[in-house]
Amino acid sequence: MALFNRKHADDTRSATTATVPVDPALAALTGEYTIDPSHSRIGFSVRHAMVTNVRGSFGDFEGSLTLDGSAPENSAAAIDVRIAGVDTGIGDRDGHLRSADFFDADRFPLMRFRSTRAEQLGGDTYRVTGDLTIKDVTRPLSIDLEFNGSATDVYGSERVGFEGGAEILRSDWGLTWNAALEAGGVMVSDKVRLTFDISAVKVAAPQG
């Protein structure tokens, strides 16, 4: 199901394309969606002491999706993550992550992502590219996602779901704190795996 087009949204107004029949099921997904944080998860994992992985999540975030089934190139995503919500299950470690050694949450309370383009890789798999801002650094990030489908929940709300992930080097965003190990290597890997499991609810159209 093609939710996104390979063209950058800003280019579509001047582009000339062939007319393609619109899939009615796809067109029905068109609209604004609010990400439901109670049924979504933004997680991460990073190698610790060279031998195991520390896993955690950001539990406080909000975001939106704009899906256009008739003109998929107009689809977009935006999300704001509050650094204070970082949770690895260990309070002291979470406090260290919020400190100036890492995210410096007092000065930079939000991590932001704004999409700039999207493309279909095949079937229900997509790559969404955008700008990720951590602290005072903004760099491009590509996220591979699988569209899990749509459904109407027990409360009558229309939902869509996506899941996927990406890998980043935290040093690209200025997160460089580390400690050397006596046996060699470092305490925290530079590579971080991000995971996304997103459920979004369609915003009801205003009643005219």
PDB file of all heavy atoms in Angstrom, residues 26-50:
ATOM      1  N   LEU A  26      -6.715   3.179   0.033  1.00  0.00           N
ATOM      2  CA  LEU A  26      -5.607   4.069   0.358  1.00  0.00           C
ATOM      3  C   LEU A  26      -6.106   5.495   0.535  1.00  0.00           C
ATOM      4  O   LEU A  26      -5.717   6.196   1.471  1.00  0.00           O
ATOM      5  CB  LEU A  26      -4.563   4.015  -0.754  1.00  0.00           C
ATOM      6  CG  LEU A  26      -3.321   4.884  -0.583  1.00  0.00           C
ATOM      7  CD1 LEU A  26      -2.578   4.511   0.680  1.00  0.00           C
ATOM      8  CD2 LEU A  26      -2.424   4.741  -1.803  1.00  0.00           C
ATOM      9  N   ALA A  27      -6.992   5.940  -0.334  1.00  0.00           N
ATOM     10  CA  ALA A  27      -7.512   7.298  -0.247  1.00  0.00           C
ATOM     11  C   ALA A  27      -8.251   7.514   1.068  1.00  0.00           C
ATOM     12  O   ALA A  27      -8.252   8.625   1.615  1.00  0.00           O
ATOM     13  CB  ALA A  27      -8.438   7.586  -1.423  1.00  0.00           C
ATOM     14  N   ALA A  28      -8.855   6.462   1.601  1.00  0.00           N
ATOM     15  CA  ALA A  28      -9.604   6.585   2.854  1.00  0.00           C
ATOM     16  C   ALA A  28      -8.695   6.906   4.039  1.00  0.00           C
ATOM     17  O   ALA A  28      -9.167   7.385   5.072  1.00  0.00           O
ATOM     18  CB  ALA A  28     -10.385   5.302   3.122  1.00  0.00           C
ATOM     19  N   LEU A  29      -7.388   6.647   3.906  1.00  0.00           N
ATOM     20  CA  LEU A  29      -6.458   6.940   4.992  1.00  0.00           C
ATOM     21  C   LEU A  29      -6.063   8.411   5.037  1.00  0.00           C
ATOM     22  O   LEU A  29      -5.434   8.868   6.004  1.00  0.00           O
ATOM     23  CB  LEU A  29      -5.194   6.091   4.846  1.00  0.00           C
ATOM     24  CG  LEU A  29      -5.367   4.571   4.912  1.00  0.00           C
ATOM     25  CD1 LEU A  29      -4.025   3.885   4.732  1.00  0.00           C
ATOM     26  CD2 LEU A  29      -6.006   4.163   6.228  1.00  0.00           C
ATOM     27  N   THR A  30      -6.398   9.168   4.005  1.00  0.00           N
ATOM     28  CA  THR A  30      -6.010  10.566   3.944  1.00  0.00           C
ATOM     29  C   THR A  30      -6.524  11.330   5.158  1.00  0.00           C
ATOM     30  O   THR A  30      -7.687  11.193   5.545  1.00  0.00           O
ATOM     31  CB  THR A  30      -6.569  11.219   2.667  1.00  0.00           C
ATOM     32  OG1 THR A  30      -5.960  10.598   1.532  1.00  0.00           O
ATOM     33  CG2 THR A  30      -6.280  12.706   2.631  1.00  0.00           C
ATOM     34  N   GLY A  31      -5.644  12.127   5.753  1.00  0.00           N
ATOM     35  CA  GLY A  31      -6.050  12.948   6.886  1.00  0.00           C
ATOM     36  C   GLY A  31      -4.912  13.232   7.829  1.00  0.00           C
ATOM     37  O   GLY A  31      -3.760  12.842   7.604  1.00  0.00           O
ATOM     38  N   GLU A  32      -5.243  13.935   8.895  1.00  0.00           N
ATOM     39  CA  GLU A  32      -4.293  14.257   9.948  1.00  0.00           C
ATOM     40  C   GLU A  32      -4.417  13.227  11.064  1.00  0.00           C
ATOM     41  O   GLU A  32      -5.528  12.834  11.433  1.00  0.00           O
ATOM     42  CB  GLU A  32      -4.564  15.660  10.498  1.00  0.00           C
ATOM     43  CG  GLU A  32      -4.480  16.767   9.458  1.00  0.00           C
ATOM     44  CD  GLU A  32      -3.059  16.985   8.969  1.00  0.00           C
ATOM     45  OE1 GLU A  32      -2.114  16.762   9.753  1.00  0.00           O
ATOM     46  OE2 GLU A  32      -2.894  17.376   7.797  1.00  0.00           O
ATOM     47  N   TYR A  33      -3.276  12.826  11.604  1.00  0.00           N
ATOM     48  CA  TYR A  33      -3.243  11.833  12.669  1.00  0.00           C
ATOM     49  C   TYR A  33      -2.403  12.346  13.832  1.00  0.00           C
ATOM     50  O   TYR A  33      -1.395  13.031  13.630  1.00  0.00           O
ATOM     51  CB  TYR A  33      -2.628  10.515  12.179  1.00  0.00           C
ATOM     52  CG  TYR A  33      -3.472   9.771  11.167  1.00  0.00           C
ATOM     53  CD1 TYR A  33      -3.525  10.195   9.834  1.00  0.00           C
ATOM     54  CD2 TYR A  33      -4.212   8.650  11.527  1.00  0.00           C
ATOM     55  CE1 TYR A  33      -4.291   9.516   8.897  1.00  0.00           C
ATOM     56  CE2 TYR A  33      -4.977   7.965  10.589  1.00  0.00           C
ATOM     57  CZ  TYR A  33      -5.016   8.403   9.281  1.00  0.00           C
ATOM     58  OH  TYR A  33      -5.770   7.734   8.357  1.00  0.00           O
ATOM     59  N   THR A  34      -2.823  11.992  15.032  1.00  0.00           N
ATOM     60  CA  THR A  34      -2.051  12.296  16.229  1.00  0.00           C
ATOM     61  C   THR A  34      -1.441  11.015  16.760  1.00  0.00           C
ATOM     62  O   THR A  34      -2.154  10.010  16.931  1.00  0.00           O
ATOM     63  CB  THR A  34      -2.947  12.935  17.306  1.00  0.00           C
ATOM     64  OG1 THR A  34      -3.494  14.161  16.816  1.00  0.00           O
ATOM     65  CG2 THR A  34      -2.142  13.217  18.567  1.00  0.00           C
ATOM     66  N   ILE A  35      -0.147  11.022  17.012  1.00  0.00           N
ATOM     67  CA  ILE A  35       0.503   9.837  17.571  1.00  0.00           C
ATOM     68  C   ILE A  35      -0.018   9.601  18.984  1.00  0.00           C
ATOM     69  O   ILE A  35      -0.093  10.535  19.797  1.00  0.00           O
ATOM     70  CB  ILE A  35       2.030  10.003  17.560  1.00  0.00           C
ATOM     71  CG1 ILE A  35       2.532  10.039  16.105  1.00  0.00           C
ATOM     72  CG2 ILE A  35       2.712   8.888  18.331  1.00  0.00           C
ATOM     73  CD1 ILE A  35       4.012  10.308  15.975  1.00  0.00           C
ATOM     74  N   ASP A  36      -0.379   8.375  19.265  1.00  0.00           N
ATOM     75  CA  ASP A  36      -0.915   7.979  20.568  1.00  0.00           C
ATOM     76  C   ASP A  36       0.227   7.449  21.432  1.00  0.00           C
ATOM     77  O   ASP A  36       0.645   6.298  21.271  1.00  0.00           O
ATOM     78  CB  ASP A  36      -1.993   6.913  20.371  1.00  0.00           C
ATOM     79  CG  ASP A  36      -2.546   6.373  21.682  1.00  0.00           C
ATOM     80  OD1 ASP A  36      -2.184   6.919  22.747  1.00  0.00           O
ATOM     81  OD2 ASP A  36      -3.323   5.403  21.643  1.00  0.00           O
ATOM     82  N   PRO A  37       0.762   8.247  22.371  1.00  0.00           N
ATOM     83  CA  PRO A  37       1.925   7.792  23.138  1.00  0.00           C
ATOM     84  C   PRO A  37       1.638   6.609  24.046  1.00  0.00           C
ATOM     85  O   PRO A  37       2.560   5.849  24.388  1.00  0.00           O
ATOM     86  CB  PRO A  37       2.334   9.040  23.938  1.00  0.00           C
ATOM     87  CG  PRO A  37       1.117   9.882  23.996  1.00  0.00           C
ATOM     88  CD  PRO A  37       0.363   9.617  22.727  1.00  0.00           C
ATOM     89  N   SER A  38       0.375   6.423  24.435  1.00  0.00           N
ATOM     90  CA  SER A  38       0.052   5.305  25.319  1.00  0.00           C
ATOM     91  C   SER A  38       0.082   3.968  24.589  1.00  0.00           C
ATOM     92  O   SER A  38       0.097   2.907  25.229  1.00  0.00           O
ATOM     93  CB  SER A  38      -1.317   5.523  25.969  1.00  0.00           C
ATOM     94  OG  SER A  38      -2.348   5.543  25.002  1.00  0.00           O
ATOM     95  N   HIS A  39       0.081   3.993  23.250  1.00  0.00           N
ATOM     96  CA  HIS A  39       0.160   2.763  22.464  1.00  0.00           C
ATOM     97  C   HIS A  39       1.324   2.806  21.477  1.00  0.00           C
ATOM     98  O   HIS A  39       1.310   2.095  20.469  1.00  0.00           O
ATOM     99  CB  HIS A  39      -1.151   2.517  21.722  1.00  0.00           C
ATOM    100  CG  HIS A  39      -2.309   2.223  22.624  1.00  0.00           C
ATOM    101  ND1 HIS A  39      -3.157   3.214  23.069  1.00  0.00           N
ATOM    102  CD2 HIS A  39      -2.723   1.064  23.204  1.00  0.00           C
ATOM    103  CE1 HIS A  39      -4.074   2.670  23.861  1.00  0.00           C
ATOM    104  NE2 HIS A  39      -3.833   1.377  23.964  1.00  0.00           N
ATOM    105  N   SER A  40       2.299   3.654  21.751  1.00  0.00           N
ATOM    106  CA  SER A  40       3.481   3.786  20.894  1.00  0.00           C
ATOM    107  C   SER A  40       4.730   3.701  21.763  1.00  0.00           C
ATOM    108  O   SER A  40       4.672   3.901  22.984  1.00  0.00           O
ATOM    109  CB  SER A  40       3.468   5.129  20.145  1.00  0.00           C
ATOM    110  OG  SER A  40       2.297   5.264  19.361  1.00  0.00           O
ATOM    111  N   ARG A  41       5.858   3.439  21.117  1.00  0.00           N
ATOM    112  CA  ARG A  41       7.119   3.360  21.857  1.00  0.00           C
ATOM    113  C   ARG A  41       8.258   3.863  20.982  1.00  0.00           C
ATOM    114  O   ARG A  41       8.335   3.519  19.794  1.00  0.00           O
ATOM    115  CB  ARG A  41       7.414   1.921  22.294  1.00  0.00           C
ATOM    116  CG  ARG A  41       8.635   1.785  23.200  1.00  0.00           C
ATOM    117  CD  ARG A  41       8.813   0.336  23.670  1.00  0.00           C
ATOM    118  NE  ARG A  41       9.838   0.236  24.688  1.00  0.00           N
ATOM    119  CZ  ARG A  41      11.149   0.078  24.430  1.00  0.00           C
ATOM    120  NH1 ARG A  41      11.555   0.016  23.168  1.00  0.00           N
ATOM    121  NH2 ARG A  41      12.026  -0.003  25.409  1.00  0.00           N
ATOM    122  N   ILE A  42       9.113   4.691  21.568  1.00  0.00           N
ATOM    123  CA  ILE A  42      10.369   5.098  20.946  1.00  0.00           C
ATOM    124  C   ILE A  42      11.486   4.553  21.827  1.00  0.00           C
ATOM    125  O   ILE A  42      11.652   4.991  22.976  1.00  0.00           O
ATOM    126  CB  ILE A  42      10.470   6.625  20.818  1.00  0.00           C
ATOM    127  CG1 ILE A  42       9.334   7.157  19.948  1.00  0.00           C
ATOM    128  CG2 ILE A  42      11.826   7.015  20.228  1.00  0.00           C
ATOM    129  CD1 ILE A  42       9.291   8.660  19.866  1.00  0.00           C
ATOM    130  N   GLY A  43      12.211   3.584  21.313  1.00  0.00           N
ATOM    131  CA  GLY A  43      13.219   2.915  22.121  1.00  0.00           C
ATOM    132  C   GLY A  43      14.614   3.063  21.554  1.00  0.00           C
ATOM    133  O   GLY A  43      14.816   3.557  20.439  1.00  0.00           O
ATOM    134  N   PHE A  44      15.595   2.626  22.329  1.00  0.00           N
ATOM    135  CA  PHE A  44      16.983   2.651  21.878  1.00  0.00           C
ATOM    136  C   PHE A  44      17.756   1.545  22.576  1.00  0.00           C
ATOM    137  O   PHE A  44      17.356   1.043  23.639  1.00  0.00           O
ATOM    138  CB  PHE A  44      17.637   4.012  22.168  1.00  0.00           C
ATOM    139  CG  PHE A  44      17.719   4.362  23.627  1.00  0.00           C
ATOM    140  CD1 PHE A  44      18.802   3.968  24.403  1.00  0.00           C
ATOM    141  CD2 PHE A  44      16.712   5.099  24.228  1.00  0.00           C
ATOM    142  CE1 PHE A  44      18.874   4.289  25.754  1.00  0.00           C
ATOM    143  CE2 PHE A  44      16.772   5.435  25.579  1.00  0.00           C
ATOM    144  CZ  PHE A  44      17.854   5.024  26.337  1.00  0.00           C
ATOM    145  N   SER A  45      18.855   1.145  21.970  1.00  0.00           N
ATOM    146  CA  SER A  45      19.785   0.212  22.596  1.00  0.00           C
ATOM    147  C   SER A  45      21.195   0.612  22.211  1.00  0.00           C
ATOM    148  O   SER A  45      21.435   1.109  21.110  1.00  0.00           O
ATOM    149  CB  SER A  45      19.501  -1.236  22.186  1.00  0.00           C
ATOM    150  OG  SER A  45      19.688  -1.416  20.796  1.00  0.00           O
ATOM    151  N   VAL A  46      22.134   0.408  23.145  1.00  0.00           N
ATOM    152  CA  VAL A  46      23.530   0.781  22.922  1.00  0.00           C
ATOM    153  C   VAL A  46      24.414  -0.224  23.643  1.00  0.00           C
ATOM    154  O   VAL A  46      24.085  -0.692  24.743  1.00  0.00           O
ATOM    155  CB  VAL A  46      23.791   2.229  23.409  1.00  0.00           C
ATOM    156  CG1 VAL A  46      23.507   2.380  24.894  1.00  0.00           C
ATOM    157  CG2 VAL A  46      25.194   2.684  23.068  1.00  0.00           C
ATOM    158  N   ARG A  47      25.530  -0.573  23.027  1.00  0.00           N
ATOM    159  CA  ARG A  47      26.467  -1.516  23.619  1.00  0.00           C
ATOM    160  C   ARG A  47      27.140  -0.902  24.842  1.00  0.00           C
ATOM    161  O   ARG A  47      27.590   0.235  24.806  1.00  0.00           O
ATOM    162  CB  ARG A  47      27.517  -1.912  22.591  1.00  0.00           C
ATOM    163  CG  ARG A  47      28.506  -2.964  23.075  1.00  0.00           C
ATOM    164  CD  ARG A  47      27.914  -4.344  23.124  1.00  0.00           C
ATOM    165  NE  ARG A  47      27.676  -4.881  21.800  1.00  0.00           N
ATOM    166  CZ  ARG A  47      27.139  -6.085  21.584  1.00  0.00           C
ATOM    167  NH1 ARG A  47      26.803  -6.856  22.591  1.00  0.00           N
ATOM    168  NH2 ARG A  47      26.937  -6.498  20.355  1.00  0.00           N
ATOM    169  N   HIS A  48      27.176  -1.676  25.931  1.00  0.00           N
ATOM    170  CA  HIS A  48      27.759  -1.209  27.187  1.00  0.00           C
ATOM    171  C   HIS A  48      28.935  -2.098  27.574  1.00  0.00           C
ATOM    172  O   HIS A  48      28.820  -3.326  27.570  1.00  0.00           O
ATOM    173  CB  HIS A  48      26.698  -1.236  28.303  1.00  0.00           C
ATOM    174  CG  HIS A  48      27.217  -0.863  29.648  1.00  0.00           C
ATOM    175  ND1 HIS A  48      27.575  -1.793  30.593  1.00  0.00           N
ATOM    176  CD2 HIS A  48      27.447   0.351  30.192  1.00  0.00           C
ATOM    177  CE1 HIS A  48      28.003  -1.177  31.680  1.00  0.00           C
ATOM    178  NE2 HIS A  48      27.929   0.132  31.470  1.00  0.00           N
ATOM    179  N   ALA A  49      30.061  -1.469  27.873  1.00  0.00           N
ATOM    180  CA  ALA A  49      31.270  -2.167  28.315  1.00  0.00           C
ATOM    181  C   ALA A  49      31.721  -3.236  27.314  1.00  0.00           C
ATOM    182  O   ALA A  49      32.357  -4.217  27.697  1.00  0.00           O
ATOM    183  CB  ALA A  49      31.073  -2.782  29.695  1.00  0.00           C
ATOM    184  N   MET A  50      31.329  -3.054  26.050  1.00  0.00           N
ATOM    185  CA  MET A  50      31.767  -3.914  24.949  1.00  0.00           C
ATOM    186  C   MET A  50      31.149  -5.317  24.964  1.00  0.00           C
ATOM    187  O   MET A  50      31.443  -6.126  24.095  1.00  0.00           O
ATOM    188  CB  MET A  50      33.299  -4.044  24.938  1.00  0.00           C
ATOM    189  CG  MET A  50      34.059  -2.734  25.020  1.00  0.00           C
ATOM    190  SD  MET A  50      33.793  -1.671  23.590  1.00  0.00           S
ATOM    191  CE  MET A  50      34.628  -2.599  22.305  1.00  0.00           C
TER     192      MET A  50
END
